[in-house]
Amino acid sequence: MVSDSIGDFIIQLKNAGNAGLESVSVPYSEFKFKVAEKLKEKDFVKSVSKKGKKIKKFLEIEISYKDKNNRKPKINDVARISKPSRRIYKKTSEIFPVKYGKGALILSTPEGILTGEEARKKKVGGEALFKIW
């Protein structure tokens, strides 16, 4: 049993890209769906779709690549910040760009799932889930 579903989710995306897969299927949760939508907005994944019915729902996520010939994924690496054993919260003043603006910090805020840029604009802090670049 996986105790860190978000950590497992982002590592599956990274590994699927490194393996050159077109898409990856992960168990569905509303939280993962919203995180995947943010990754789609930031162009780290091509598409996100919910499939299945009732208890057998899953997310089908299409991986985005920089170059179709070389199959270099847009997700180079991920770093989990807040873990189930240790939650890390950031104030607005503590949110900085990731990799000189080429990456993204994903936060869980009272406004919902936001990137670091959106959180700074809305002047809201929250739990720092992970960095992706």
Side-chain angles (χ1 to χ4, degrees), residues 65-84:
Y65 291 95
K66 294 177 189 173
D67 186 359
K68 289 184 180 179
N69 299 332
N70 291 352
R71 306 291 286 175
K72 273 195 79 134
K74 288 194 176 178
I75 299 173
N76 290 326
D77 205 2
V78 293
R80 184 78 160 109
I81 298 172
S82 188
K83 300 174 183 172

Side-chain angles (χ1 to χ4, degrees), residues 84-98:
S85 60
R86 184 166 184 238
R87 302 291 182 186
I88 306 292
Y89 297 92
K90 301 239 182 218
K91 298 179 198 171
T92 308
S93 61
E94 297 171 339
I95 299 171
F96 301 108
V98 177

Side-chain angles (χ1 to χ4, degrees), residues 34-45 115 118:
K34 292 188 187 220
V35 169
E37 285 291 320
K38 279 296 167 192
L39 293 177
K40 182 181 171 198
E41 284 178 23
K42 295 298 284 180
D43 201 34
F44 286 108
V45 296
T115 63
E118 294 169 341

